[in-house]
Amino acid sequence: MSEKQPSVWEGFKAFLMRGNVIDLAVAVVIGAAFTNIVNSVVKGVINPLVGAFGTQSLDSYSSCLKGPCTGTGDTATGVRILWGSVLGRRCPS
């Protein structure tokens, strides 16, 4: 005898009933709250600290992974990590 395969709808219904949707919703809420905390720390602590030792615009800060790093745009050589632009990125509120 062959067993009947559960339909997609039955599988989806079982997924909803196991509580995974609730877990996912809680994870999204915690993730959103954690994003706000990280943005506040970067805006209130990291940016002023880096700005105190250099310029207020963090876009110019970078590190060269594989040198020599010369030029900008299409004429750039080497592998450059633009960590200043990542720190200085403002997220929409």
Side-chain angles (χ1 to χ4, degrees):
M1 295 186 142
S2 63
E3 290 187 28
K4 180 183 168 194
Q5 293 286 345
S7 70
V8 173
W9 175 249
E10 289 171 352
F12 183 67
K13 206 161 119 179
F15 168 77
L16 289 177
M17 293 306 182
R18 279 196 313 245
N20 292 348
V21 173
I22 307 272
D23 295 343
L24 183 61
V26 169
V28 167
V29 169
I30 290 172
F34 190 70
T35 299
N36 288 335
I37 292 169
V38 170
N39 287 339
S40 296
V41 169
V42 168
K43 186 177 178 183
V45 177
I46 294 176
N47 285 353
L49 284 175
V50 173
F53 296 107
T55 63
Q56 291 295 347
S57 173
L58 302 176
D59 291 337
S60 62
Y61 291 100
S62 66
S63 298
C64 189
L65 263 182
K66 183 178 179 185
C69 289
T70 60
T72 58
D74 293 335
T75 62
T77 62
V79 178
R80 187 181 309 261
I81 304 274
L82 303 172
W83 58 270
S85 62
V86 172
L87 285 178
R89 185 71 52 210
R90 301 254 190 258
C91 295
S93 299

